[in-house]
């Protein structure tokens, strides 16, 4: 088993949580198994595929590569916290409109990597976009429409400039 | 800037345009539920106990310690399945849910447990004691074919899994008459299917006579039939529910795994829901892979480069069980006669059992192997004859038949529409092929080159037995519509296409239709998502079901307007008299009238596909004749590569164009992403990056770092050109999109590497080490020649 319960206090999607978790629990296990935030996907548990990418304090982090306790005191955003109730985030809207989504399994992670990128760099070059999502494997659509959708979203977020 | 605007084709409301997918919102918000996301009260976790030997006799399995571990609720072994064996077809049933007497590949399942949590299930597996007698194994085809080699299956002499010998025309005579005859041997790699979502399953028994199975299966009617036979239940009592699926690409998510059978058995034993999620490590070490193949191609041509004959010999590693190998070997051979005119053709193939994990279908199934070999060799021939690669392809490419006529290949493959010439021309123009000719681009250690290739793929694949797809459309009294399909969207976008076809026919919006994914308790039976068959065959079912609904509603409207049904039309949710559109009513009002006017109707439409079974008969695997497809897509592709001549690293540049003849693009965006993805993930990946490294049945690079998957920073921004041929055998003229580009990409890359460096790499992938040594050998050969 994964040992004694430890106290954990963090914010997830804007909501504060006071939790008790086993020390060895991964952040992705906390999100999916305990909190039922199953939008975050598990592809490999090796930090290799990026399907479990979330934002911690605005940075893209693979939630299988950190313990839940390492998020203590931090702000975690998952795919469930990206849209503003019914209004989708421009990244999400661009991915839908531009036809970037196929099977969708990598999509939540892809959105979280793009979100972290555009928060830091509102006008990225194509190569900067490629670098930001290089940790997110896709299996069906060849990345072209994802890269273009992020460019479209960036432009939209800059007010069309 | 980046924005590529999709073109609009045809005069439709919905089809022929860029249509956002019906499931995109759920997927982009994380609401979409995949198999591993399902959870039920009292649910148990299952785990598979796997064999540490690739080939061994099982002497005894002792589960007593595992059963005594607190938290363990049930243990199962192969004996519980009462001798049940399964396979791709009746004669190839050679696999058990869990091995009983013998294991044939490393980590094959021998037992399974269900426990209160994942950790307990894992611990219980460690407590199961299995006594083995290790046996000598065979790990490559050269060993497997040797006389006296250990037998993987005692009843299969020579370890032969599949062999076909076909002969059309007279190849020997044609070779004798040829100006040039070349023989080359090529090799394709052992590859992962590439889906990110590991297979997962949840099963429960609502009562002792009914089973429910929720699993990531691209062809859910496979488990429907197999579980019925395995658990001796009538089909009516087997309920397969299809969640959202994180890709498939053939193989494991079409077929069954030890986890699928075990979850159902453990759920039966415990009376509780049981969930098993396969780890990525287990996926990469045990799941079905793309066949590694050795292809020897002998081709004869005239002085002008006209193809006279091809003899193809293919040898494949089939792995431990037959699975889909008979189909793989069929597909590898049967369409070598497209997309170029080939008057004489001979094919011999041998697929051997080995103690490696089983091989099976993968996007570009079969054709990818033979087209790679033949289209690289075509460039070699062009070089020898001093012909241009585009010129030799145009000379040999099949012309688009006149409307109403068909092109018949030497092995009785019938093609009603063929846009390959147009594809070649458009790609050559887009990359400015002529201007590049003879110009070498070298920057420091980087050499650049461009390669060309063309390909075909069968769509609406027809196998023996059940081929038809069906659809049921229910119109609700408020005008909203349920679409019940047997077809499965694994990411290719078929849910959207089915809704789009139905909405187009009914004259309503995409948003008015709610598609119900496969639930075998309610949806019509369907063969599955394989062989690029869904758009063509399930699409025809969609059209027929919608026409049925429309006819029922037009009769009601005709009565209201006092005209004949054929005088009424529905468009943009308005029902109107064709000759006087001012006489109209809304779609909602028409539906309400139909449902509520005494005695009231229940509007249900149904439709099924007929093309797959009636058109030109079925293909004969033993002779290699006839139509495996309902129709055939065509592709031409040009890719530029950058070769680092110091390190051997090959990379695509953004100079990449594919023209694809999918007949008619029902959804331009979806066709583009399918074509781009097919070319990159399963084509370029095979050409440059991916290969399982094996040692005595053990997969050495079983993680997604060491097993190199292509990533965004290496991705070419491939431009897709739509070529329209409006095939008479597809719904609204459609043919397949994506599997063709899996086949054109590898030869285009290898031809580009030659163009850049003057080195032919005949065994894939062209990983740096291979390219490095080939470049070095060429340099030394040059030096040697100078000395002389």
């Amino acid at each position: 088993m994964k040992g004694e319960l430890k106290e954990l206090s963090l914010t997830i999607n804007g909501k504060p949580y006071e939790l008790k978790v086993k020390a060895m629990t991964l952040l992705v296990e906390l999100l999916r198994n305990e909190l039922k935030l199953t939008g975050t996907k598990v592809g490999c548990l090796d930090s290799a595929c990026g399907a479990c990418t979330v934002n911690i304090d605005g940075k893209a982090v693979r939630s299988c590569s950190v313990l839940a306790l390492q998020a203590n005191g931090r702000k975690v955003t998952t795919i469930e916290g990206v849209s503003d109730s019914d209004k989708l985030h421009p990244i999400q809207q661009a991915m839908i409109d531009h036809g970037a989504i196929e099977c969708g399994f990598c999509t939540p992670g892809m959105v979280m990597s793009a979100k972290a990128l555009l928060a830091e760099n509102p006008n990225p070059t194509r190569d900067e976009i490629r670098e930001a999502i290089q940790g997110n494997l896709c299996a069906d659509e060849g990345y072209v429409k994802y890269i273009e959708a992020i460019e479209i979203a960036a432009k939209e977020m800059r007010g069309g400039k | 800037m980046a924005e590529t605007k999709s073109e609009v084709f045809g005069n439709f409301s919905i089809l022929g345009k860029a249509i956002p997918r019906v499931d995109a919102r759920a997927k982009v918000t994380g609401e979409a539920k995949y198999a591993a996301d399902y959870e039920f009260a009292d649910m148990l976790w299952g785990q598979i106990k796997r064999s540490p030997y690739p080939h061994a006799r099982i002497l005894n399995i002792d589960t007593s310690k595992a059963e005594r571990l607190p938290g363990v609720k049930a243990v199962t072994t192969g004996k519980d399945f009462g001798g049940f064996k399964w396979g791709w077809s009746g004669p190839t049933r050679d696999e058990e849910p869990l091995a009983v007497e013998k294991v044939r590949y490393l980590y094959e399942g021998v037992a399974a447990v269900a426990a209160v949590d994942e950790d307990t299930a894992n611990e219980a597996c460690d407590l199961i004691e299995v006594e083995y007698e290790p046996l000598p194994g065979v790990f490559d085809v050269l060993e497997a074919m040797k006389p006296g080699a250990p037998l993987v299956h005692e009843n299969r002499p020579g370890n032969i899994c599949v062999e076909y010998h076909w002969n059309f025309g007279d190849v020997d005579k044609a070779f004798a008459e040829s100006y040039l005859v070349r023989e080359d041997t090529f090799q394709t790699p052992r590859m992962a299917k590439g889906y990110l979502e590991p297979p997962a399953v949840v099963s429960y028994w609502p009562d002792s006579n009914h089973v429910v199975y929720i699993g990531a299966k691209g062809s859910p009617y496979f488990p429907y039939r197999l579980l019925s036979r395995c658990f001796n239940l009538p089909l009516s009592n087997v309920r397969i529910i299809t969640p959202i699926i994180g890709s498939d690409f053939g193989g494991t998510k079409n077929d069954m795994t030890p986890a699928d059978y075990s979850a159902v058995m453990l759920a039966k034993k415990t009376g509780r829901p049981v969930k098993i999620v396969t780890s990525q490590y287990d996926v990469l070490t045990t799941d079905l892979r793309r066949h590694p193949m050795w292809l020897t191609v002998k081709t004869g041509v005239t002085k002008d480069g006209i193809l006279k004959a091809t003899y193809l010999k293919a040898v494949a590693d089939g792995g431990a069980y037959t699975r889909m190998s008979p189909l793989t070997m069929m597909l590898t051979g049967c369409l070598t006669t497209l997309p170029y005119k080939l008057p004489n053709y001979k094919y011999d193939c041998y697929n051997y059992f080995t103690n490696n994990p089983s091989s099976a279908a993968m996007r570009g199934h079969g054709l990818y192997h033979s087209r790679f070999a033949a289209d690289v060799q075509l460039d070699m021939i062009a070089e020898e004859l001093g012909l241009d690669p585009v010129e030799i392809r145009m000379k040999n490419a099949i012309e688009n038949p006149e409307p109403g006529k068909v092109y018949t290949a030497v092995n009785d493959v019938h093609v009603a529409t063929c846009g390959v010439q147009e594809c070649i021309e458009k790609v050559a123009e887009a990359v400015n092929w002529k201007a590049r000719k003879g110009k070498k681009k070298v920057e420091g250690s980087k050499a650049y080159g461009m390669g060309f290739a063309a390909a075909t793929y069968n769509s609406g694949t027809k196998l023996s037995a059940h081929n038809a797809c069906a659809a049921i459309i229910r119109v609700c009294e408020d005008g909203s519509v349920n679409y019940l399909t047997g077809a499965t969207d694994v990411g290719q976008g078929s849910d959207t296409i089915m809704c789009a076809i139905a909405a187009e026919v009914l004259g309503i919006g995409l948003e008015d239709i709610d598609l119900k994914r496969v639930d075998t308790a309610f949806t019509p039976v369907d063969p599955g998502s394989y062989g690029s068959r869904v758009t063509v065959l399930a699409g025809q079912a969609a059209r027929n079901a919608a026409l049925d609904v429309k006819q029922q509603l037009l009769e009601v409207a005709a009565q209201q307007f006092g005209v004949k049904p054929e005088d009424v039309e529905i468009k943009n949710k308005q029902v109107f008299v064709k000759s006087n559109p001012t006489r109209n009513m809304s779609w909602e009002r028409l539906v309400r009238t139909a449902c509520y006017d005494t005695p009231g109707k229940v509007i249900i439409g149904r439709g099924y596909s007929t093309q797959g079974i009636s058109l030109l008969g079925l293909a004969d695997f033993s002779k290699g004749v006839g139509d495996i497809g309902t129709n055939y897509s065509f592709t031409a592709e040009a890719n530029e590569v950058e070769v680092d001549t110091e390190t051997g690293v090959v990379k695509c540049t953004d100079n990449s164009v594919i023209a694809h003849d999918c007949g008619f693009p029902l959804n331009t965006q979806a066709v583009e992403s399918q074509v781009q993805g097919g070319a990159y993930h399963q084509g370029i990946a095979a050409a440059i990056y991916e290969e399982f490294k094996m040692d005595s049945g053990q997969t050495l690079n079983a993680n997604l770092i060491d097993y190199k998957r292509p990533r965004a920073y290496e991705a070419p921004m491939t431009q897709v050109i739509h070529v329209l041929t409006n095939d008479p055998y597809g719904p609204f003229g459609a043919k397949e999109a994506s599997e063709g580009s899996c086949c054109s990409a590898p030869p285009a890359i290898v031809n580009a590497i030659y163009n850049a460096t003057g080195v032919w790499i005949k065994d894939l992938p062209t990983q740096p080490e291979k390219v490095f040594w080939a470049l070095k050998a060429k340099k030394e050969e040059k030096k040697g020649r100078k000395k002389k």
Side-chain angles (χ1 to χ4, degrees):
Chain A
M1 301 287 171
K2 293 185 178 179
E4 298 283 295
L5 295 181
K6 305 265 185 192
E7 286 189 2
L8 168 64
S9 139
L10 77 173
T11 306
I12 302 174
N13 298 333
K15 199 172 142 193
Y17 285 85
E18 301 290 335
L19 302 164
K20 287 198 162 99
V21 299
K22 291 173 188 167
M24 290 296 285
T25 303
L26 298 172
L27 180 58
V28 69
E29 292 172 330
L30 173 74
L31 294 172
R32 283 183 58 87
N33 302 345
E34 308 297 322
L35 304 177
K36 313 299 176 196
L37 293 168
T38 53
T40 301
K41 301 300 175 203
V42 172
C44 67
L45 288 180
D46 286 331
S47 310
C49 78
C52 67
T53 306
V54 298
N55 287 176
I56 300 180
D57 292 343
K59 302 266 185 217
V61 175
R62 291 164 200 180
S63 60
C64 77
S65 69
V66 290
L67 298 171
L69 289 174
Q70 287 176 288
N72 193 40
R74 295 180 184 271
K75 284 187 184 136
V76 175
T77 308
T78 70
I79 189 66
E80 288 88 349
V82 172
S83 59
D84 183 5
S85 62
D86 265 1
K87 193 172 160 38
L88 295 180
H89 189 280
I91 295 170
Q92 294 172 309
Q93 194 61 52
M95 285 183 183
I96 295 176
D97 294 343
H98 196 60
I101 300 157
E102 289 216 348
C103 85
F105 197 76
C106 72
T107 304
M110 205 64 91
V111 171
M112 299 317 294
S113 289
K115 189 169 180 289
L117 167 72
L118 297 186
E120 201 178 281
N121 179 0
N123 195 4
T125 63
R126 185 169 278 179
D127 279 347
E128 283 167 342
I129 292 173
R130 281 175 157 149
E131 202 181 308
I133 61 167
Q134 64 155 306
N136 298 84
L137 281 175
C138 161
D140 7 41
E141 60 91 273
Y143 303 104
V144 176
K145 290 202 183 283
Y146 269 127
I147 293 168
E148 289 171 343
I150 295 167
E151 287 174 337
I152 293 166
K155 192 173 164 191
E156 165 77 22
M157 288 165 73
R158 294 193 306 269
K161 278 175 251 165
Chain B
M1 171 82 190
E3 255 165 286
T4 50
K5 284 254 162 40
S6 296
E7 288 173 84
V8 174
F9 299 104
N11 189 23
F12 296 106
S13 306
I14 298 167
L15 301 175
K17 298 186 165 79
I19 324 165
R21 293 178 183 230
V22 294
D23 51 2
R25 190 182 171 101
K27 285 174 173 175
V28 85
T29 54
E31 279 176 18
K33 265 180 111 169
Y34 298 74
D37 303 336
Y38 281 76
E39 219 177 81
F40 295 93
D42 286 333
M43 194 179 80
L44 299 170
W45 284 84
Q47 185 56 278
I48 305 296
K49 170 79 177 177
R50 297 179 182 278
S51 160
Y53 299 103
H55 197 197
R57 214 166 290 292
I58 300 169
L59 303 178
N60 187 44
I61 302 180
D62 181 354
T63 60
S64 57
K65 280 186 193 159
E67 280 164 42
R68 284 200 299 271
L69 182 72
V72 171
K73 300 298 173 189
V75 181
T76 183
T77 65
K79 283 187 179 153
D80 291 338
F81 292 88
F84 169 80
K85 286 194 172 186
W86 69 285
W88 180 67
S89 65
T92 65
R93 286 176 187 157
D94 56 9
E95 197 162 353
E96 292 154 327
L98 293 165
V100 177
E101 286 179 357
K102 197 168 122 161
V103 290
R104 293 181 173 85
Y105 66 93
L106 187 69
Y107 304 145
E108 182 168 359
V110 294
V113 297
V116 291
D117 58 35
E118 243 179 319
D119 290 343
T120 311
N122 287 336
E123 200 179 334
C125 278
D126 291 343
L127 293 174
I128 295 173
E129 290 169 352
V130 189
E131 220 181 302
Y132 295 96
E133 178 198 337
L135 299 169
V138 281
F139 302 106
D140 71 49
V141 291
L142 293 176
E143 287 175 54
M145 66 175 75
K146 274 185 195 156
L151 291 180
V152 179
H153 298 265
E154 275 80 4
N155 61 345
R156 302 299 292 272
N159 286 317
I160 282 277
C161 175
V162 186
E163 84 183 278
Y164 300 135
H165 306 282
W166 311 334
N167 207 339
F168 308 100
D170 187 341
V171 290
D172 294 327
K173 184 165 169 267
F175 285 140
E177 290 168 5
S178 291
Y179 172 78
L180 171 71
V181 178
R182 257 198 90 100
E183 185 177 307
D184 298 278
T185 296
F186 300 87
Q187 191 181 328
T188 52
R190 196 184 303 270
M191 276 178 83
K193 305 286 170 191
Y195 41 76
L196 274 193
E197 179 209 21
V201 52
V202 187
S203 176
Y204 60 93
W205 292 66
D207 59 49
S208 60
N209 203 26
H210 289 81
V211 67
V212 176
Y213 166 104
I214 304 168
K217 293 292 169 202
S219 298
Y221 285 91
F222 285 17
Y224 169 72
R225 290 177 170 126
L226 289 165
L227 292 177
S228 157
R229 201 161 58 76
C230 181
F231 290 91
N232 199 21
L233 290 170
L235 288 168
S236 56
N237 297 19
V238 179
R239 187 171 175 196
I240 311 293
I241 297 172
T242 308
I244 300 292
I245 293 171
S247 294
D248 172 8
F249 311 124
T252 294
K253 282 184 172 174
N254 253 322
D255 250 330
M256 297 290 274
T257 66
D260 293 314
Y261 289 108
S262 298
V264 176
M265 179 60 84
L266 291 165
K268 186 180 182 179
K269 284 190 162 201
T270 58
R272 291 168 67 170
V274 174
K275 174 172 176 172
I276 302 182
V277 181
T278 306
S279 71
Q280 188 63 241
Y281 182 78
D282 287 346
V283 167
L284 294 173
T285 52
T286 67
D287 272 8
L288 301 172
R289 297 107 188 264
R290 194 185 244 173
H291 291 76
M293 232 181 257
W294 292 262
L295 304 123
T296 302
V297 200
K298 185 175 173 183
T299 299
V301 291
T302 67
K303 198 174 180 180
D304 300 327
I306 304 295
L307 293 168
K308 295 288 287 178
T310 291
Y311 169 44
L312 171 65
K313 185 181 166 191
V315 177
D317 182 343
Y321 294 99
T322 306
R323 294 283 185 138
M324 279 164 258
S325 278
L327 179 58
T328 307
M329 302 321 288
M330 167 73 184
L331 287 168
T332 300
C334 71
L335 295 181
T336 312
T337 52
L338 305 179
Y340 310 113
K341 286 166 272 185
L342 184 65
N344 301 284
Y345 173 51
K346 187 178 169 192
Y347 176 61
D348 289 317
C349 73
Y350 306 85
N351 183 309
Y352 292 95
F353 288 114
T354 64
N355 293 111
N356 291 315
S358 305
S359 304
M362 179 161 154
R363 202 177 190 183
H365 194 188
L367 275 74
Y368 132 91
H369 302 275
S370 41
R371 185 39 53 202
F372 159 62
D375 239 62
V376 171
Q377 194 187 49
L378 195 58
D379 259 35
M380 295 170 158
I381 289 169
E383 167 94 16
E384 275 199 54
L385 294 176
L387 292 172
D388 178 79
V390 168
E391 190 189 344
I392 197 168
R393 283 178 174 79
M394 278 305 283
K395 274 186 175 183
N396 287 289
I398 294 164
E399 290 101 7
N400 194 12
E402 296 287 318
K405 295 201 171 142
V406 290
Y407 170 83
T408 305
V410 67
N411 57 337
D412 261 350
V413 171
H414 300 88
V415 177
T417 58
C418 172
V420 72
Q421 286 195 340
E422 191 179 338
C423 289
I424 294 170
E425 283 171 338
K426 288 203 162 150
V427 171
E429 194 190 319
V431 299
N432 212 351
W433 181 265
K434 273 186 191 153
R436 287 184 73 95
K437 206 176 170 182
K439 281 181 199 156
K440 281 267 172 227
K441 188 177 153 196
V442 180
E443 284 168 12
S445 67
K446 308 278 172 66
Y448 295 82
M450 183 164 269
F452 210 96
T456 186
Y457 207 83
N458 44 296
S459 45
T461 293
K462 306 177 294 175
L463 302 177
S464 59
H466 176 242
N467 274 305
C469 293
I472 298 168
I473 296 178
R474 281 195 308 235
V475 181
C476 305
E477 60 202 46
D478 62 354
S480 63
V481 172
N482 284 133
Y483 187 92
L484 278 69
T485 180
T488 300
D489 193 331
V490 292
Q492 84 278 35
S494 67
D495 285 356
T496 306
I497 296 297
M498 296 307 124
C499 291
I501 290 175
E504 184 73 48
V505 171
L506 290 174
I508 59 177
L510 204 54
E511 63 286 354
D512 298 314
I513 302 189
D514 183 66
L515 180 135
K516 301 297 180 195
R517 289 174 67 87
V518 169
D519 178 337
T520 61
F522 309 105
T523 51
V525 68
D526 181 279
S529 293
Y530 57 82
S532 276
R533 56 186 306 292
V534 181
T535 296
V536 170
L537 299 179
Q540 200 204 358
R543 187 176 194 198
N544 290 342
L547 285 170
D548 184 5
V549 165
K550 190 173 179 183
Q551 188 56 34
Q552 294 176 43
L553 287 170
L554 288 182
E555 279 167 20
V556 175
Q559 220 169 24
Q560 294 291 314
F561 292 129
V563 295
K564 287 182 187 151
E566 56 268 31
D567 297 331
V568 188
E569 185 54 287
I570 313 173
K571 251 190 183 155
N572 301 321
K573 298 186 80 176
Q574 285 293 310
V575 187
F576 55 90
V577 178
K578 283 182 197 166
S579 58
N580 181 8
T582 57
R583 299 188 63 202
N584 63 56
M585 67 170 109
S586 71
W587 162 263
E588 283 86 359
R589 193 172 146 213
L590 170 63
V591 171
R592 223 167 31 235
T593 306
C595 295
Y596 290 169
D597 266 16
T598 309
K601 288 186 166 60
V602 177
I603 307 290
I604 299 176
R606 59 183 192 144
Y608 58 93
S609 64
T610 51
Q611 302 284 34
I613 39 184
S614 63
L615 171 73
L616 304 169
L618 284 172
D620 179 337
F621 283 34
S622 65
K623 297 195 183 80
V625 292
D627 287 298
I628 191 81
T630 299
N631 52 25
Y632 301 88
S633 78
F634 294 91
T635 311
E637 172 163 1
N639 278 310
E640 187 188 51
V641 296
E642 171 196 286
V643 183
D644 187 322
T645 52
E646 278 174 9
T647 62
V649 171
V650 176
K651 196 175 171 290
C652 290
T653 74
D654 283 340
N655 202 351
S656 166
V657 180
I658 300 176
H660 184 69
D661 159 25
C662 72
F664 179 82
L666 298 174
N667 179 356
T668 50
Q669 251 177 12
V671 168
E672 288 153 18
S673 66
Q674 277 288 92
V675 168
Q676 287 160 339
Y680 191 45
H681 295 292
Q682 285 80 17
I684 291 172
I688 306 181
Y689 303 109
E690 293 187 31
E691 183 177 38
F692 279 127
K693 301 284 182 195
M694 303 294 295
D695 182 13
S696 308
Q698 167 90 45
T699 306
L700 300 176
N701 50 345
N703 63 69
L704 295 172
I705 298 288
D706 297 324
Y707 181 86
K708 171 72 178 95
R709 292 277 303 278
R711 291 176 182 268
Y713 63 92
E714 298 137 327
M717 298 297 281
T718 304
Q719 179 201 342
V720 177
I721 299 169
H722 300 276
V723 169
L724 275 65
T725 51
N726 288 308
D727 194 274
Y729 299 111
F732 301 94
K735 310 192 274 192
E736 78 87 34
S738 108
E739 295 208 76
S741 67
C742 300
C743 303
S744 55
I749 295 291
V750 167
N751 292 340
I753 294 171
Y754 179 79
N755 184 241
T757 64
V759 165
W760 289 115
I761 309 280
K762 297 186 195 174
D763 55 333
L764 300 182
T766 59
Q767 284 171 344
E769 193 181 352
K770 215 177 275 172
V771 178
F772 174 86
W773 287 112
L775 288 170
K776 196 163 172 167
K778 186 183 153 70
K779 228 179 192 175
E780 258 145 42
E781 189 193 307
K782 237 184 189 172
K783 261 193 223 158
R785 246 182 301 172
K786 267 186 193 161
K787 273 183 194 163
K788 276 177 201 167

